[in-house]
Amino acid sequence: MNVKKDFPIFNAHPELVYLDSGATSLKPQPVIDAIVAYYSTYSANIHRGLYKISEKASAEYEDTRSVVARFINAPSPNEIIFTSGTTESINLLTSTIGGSSVGQGDEVVTTVMEHHANFVPWQQLAFNTGADFKVIDINENHELGIMKEDGHIDLTNIITKKTKIFTITLVSNTLGTINPVKEIIAAVKAINPSVITVVDAAQAAPHLSIDVQDLGCDFLAFSGHKMLGPTGVGVLWGRKQLLDSMPPYQLGGDMINEVSLEKTTYAKTPHKFEAGTPHIAGVIGLKAAITYLQQIGLDTIAKHEHALASYAIDQINKEFGDEVAMLGPSDMGQRAGIVTFTFGTIHAHDISQILDDNNIAVRAGHHCTMPLHTRLDITASTRASFYVYNTQEDVDKLVMGLKKVKQTLS
Ligand code: C6P
């Protein structure tokens, strides 16, 4: 794959080895062009102006809803809600359906490998409502503890008739594990069909092809900025029936049907959930990002990253052996393009600093997964995350950089 030329940041920093796409991705020229075109040629508000540039902005904004719906195979564009990112998508849920569905003695179930964005809002919802907050552990292979050796999923004592919410990440941002979410959701629903199932696809949508109907979930959230789009825009997909039954999230302009001194009635889904002027340029940029990703092909992207991650793990293991402890499943078939590790007693921040001195950008710390790090008995780790613009040469530079880390610090 030779797409580096599409990313102008490499003109500004030709030496940059960017291995932090899990945090945010770089932006290709077509995405930048789409945003600049909006601001420079039709930067009007949407759904309000009865004049040409406003109508164009509204059409582009609403067309993105259709593009996103097709991207995740949602049955209708009206099930797509634009938010500021995965974090807001999940907070929208906890403050709408969460409040009306969860009460004293109910159960909210998640996993220990969740990002804080899919952990803290549910934990606080449980605390505030008196519900039981249940967290699925991992096994020694860094898969979820519900995965049995014979391939079966065992949810005994986890999902019960009291469970109201089950939420899970499709790809772990730290372990790189691709969870078998379709099978897990089927197992959840087999025990209790009324459980509301939520999927955090922040690390999945940029890299794997997603089909919400096939996954069988009720809600799915992701962020534009991790999939070549702008920051400040994200998506919440939900089943229409559930969205229609939910109260609005924020109140104000553009989400109403009629307002009088006595009462207010709300717009229909999805506009009911999009109060105020949204991030119009961001939504338009997201459409350009999805178009770009689809031109390459999500399957091609997944294969490319998988090959880089396999190569990185092989090379690091070969060079450093037991000095490096890899996080995540040993079965490469269960992994996405994320390689996270600890390096003897060298602190991840020191590793990151020396790599940066060599123009290599990685993430160091707890990656917003403190419960997982505590479970693994570590305080920090170093993460390299790959995307379309990365090459085998980038991996070779990472290994060279790690050799310098070793020479300097051990
Ligand atoms: N993870 C990382 O470096 P926002 O910030 O709302 O766009 O996404 C939050 C989020 C939710 N779930 C998962 C699985 C994620 O990985 C993230 C963001 C980044 O791993 C930044 S902390």
Side-chain angles (χ1 to χ4, degrees):
M1 193 178 302
N2 180 19
V3 297
K4 236 174 176 162
K5 59 182 183 337
D6 296 341
F7 291 79
I9 198 164
F10 292 116
N11 298 331
H13 304 282
E15 295 301 318
L16 176 64
V17 176
Y18 188 72
L19 301 179
D20 199 17
S21 296
T24 197
S25 66
L26 305 177
K27 316 303 171 201
Q29 194 62 51
V31 169
I32 298 167
D33 289 346
I35 296 165
V36 171
Y38 166 70
Y39 281 126
S40 53
T41 64
Y42 61 104
S43 64
N45 211 328
I46 55 164
H47 304 152
R48 291 154 170 88
L50 297 172
Y51 48 90
K52 285 188 214 52
I53 57 169
S54 173
E55 281 163 3
K56 175 160 167 64
S58 303
E60 286 292 325
Y61 185 91
E62 290 304 327
D63 187 45
T64 307
R65 230 186 271 286
S66 304
V67 168
V68 171
R70 286 195 293 276
F71 183 64
I72 57 171
N73 197 29
S76 161
N78 290 333
E79 297 180 337
I80 304 298
I81 297 159
F82 292 119
T83 63
S84 65
T86 309
T87 303
E88 191 181 36
S89 297
I90 293 167
N91 277 275
L92 187 160
L93 284 177
T94 52
S95 49
T96 53
I97 202 158
S100 53
S101 312
V102 178
Q104 178 87 31
D106 290 336
E107 293 167 350
V108 175
V109 180
T110 190
T111 87
V112 78
M113 67 169 78
E114 300 308 311
H115 184 279
H116 296 163
N118 197 34
F119 193 94
V120 181
W122 299 111
Q123 181 191 51
Q124 294 310 306
L125 174 72
F127 288 169
N128 293 339
T129 54
D132 194 6
F133 185 59
K134 291 164 86 171
V135 181
I136 298 173
D137 198 7
I138 48 169
N139 62 25
E140 60 289 352
N141 192 33
H142 297 179
E143 307 162 305
L144 289 172
I146 53 176
M147 307 306 303
K148 298 300 154 200
E149 270 173 19
D150 61 4
H152 280 92
I153 293 162
D154 183 1
L155 289 163
T156 317
N157 298 329
I158 295 174
I159 302 297
T160 73
K161 294 290 173 207
K162 288 183 181 169
T163 309
K164 289 286 158 44
I165 307 273
F166 173 75
T167 185
I168 184 168
T169 193
L170 186 44
V171 174
S172 158
N173 71 319
T174 298
L175 300 173
T177 317
I178 305 174
N179 288 316
V181 165
K182 177 182 172 178
E183 291 73 18
I184 294 172
I185 286 176
V188 168
K189 297 260 182 186
I191 298 174
N192 181 351
S194 65
V195 175
I196 294 168
T197 55
V198 180
V199 175
D200 175 350
Q203 297 290 346
H207 312 283
L208 310 172
S209 115
I210 290 181
D211 180 335
V212 288
Q213 299 187 60
D214 186 53
L215 283 176
C217 55
D218 296 309
F219 294 98
L220 182 130
F222 57 95
S223 301
H225 70 96
K226 293 188 198 293
M227 47 189 285
L228 309 181
T231 52
V233 66
V235 170
L236 175 67
W237 166 80
R239 286 185 195 274
K240 182 79 171 24
Q241 213 185 342
L242 287 170
L243 292 172
D244 286 346
S245 71
M246 284 154 55
Y249 166 52
Q250 292 181 326
L251 308 174
D254 215 31
M255 54 72 68
I256 56 90
N257 176 34
E258 221 172 86
V259 182
S260 69
L261 293 187
E262 291 73 35
K263 66 171 176 64
T264 295
T265 55
Y266 302 127
K268 292 202 165 92
T269 309
H271 300 105
K272 177 172 81 174
F273 297 103
E274 293 177 7
T277 300
H279 186 6
I280 304 167
V283 168
I284 289 167
L286 177 61
K287 177 165 114 173
I290 292 176
T291 307
Y292 183 91
L293 289 173
Q294 286 174 329
Q295 273 161 7
I296 301 176
L298 267 294
D299 292 343
T300 308
I301 293 171
K303 271 193 206 124
H304 174 72
E305 294 166 2
H306 195 261
L308 289 178
S310 297
Y311 180 65
I313 290 173
D314 281 354
Q315 294 302 304
I316 293 172
N317 283 340
K318 209 157 97 193
E319 187 62 42
F320 305 104
D322 288 345
E323 285 172 290
V324 164
M326 284 289 166
L327 273 51
S330 45
D331 173 4
M332 282 309 296
Q334 296 176 38
R335 294 186 74 117
I338 290 174
V339 174
T340 306
F341 55 90
T342 55
F343 195 169
T345 55
I346 307 173
H347 197 280
H349 288 172
D350 295 330
I351 297 173
S352 166
Q353 184 59 60
I354 292 176
L355 291 178
D356 181 47
D357 293 343
N358 292 275
N359 302 307
I360 302 165
V362 295
R363 184 160 177 194
H366 54 62
H367 323 304
C368 300
T369 54
M370 284 181 88
L372 177 65
H373 277 72
T374 305
R375 169 66 179 84
L376 296 170
D377 209 14
I378 52 177
T379 51
S381 55
T382 304
R383 182 186 72 183
S385 46
F386 303 105
Y387 211 4
V388 288
Y389 30 72
N390 292 120
T391 60
Q392 200 159 307
E393 201 190 336
D394 290 345
V395 176
D396 294 336
K397 286 185 180 162
L398 172 67
V399 176
M400 286 291 291
L402 290 173
K403 280 191 202 167
K404 289 192 186 158
V405 169
K406 188 174 166 184
Q407 280 158 16
T408 317
L409 293 178
S410 61

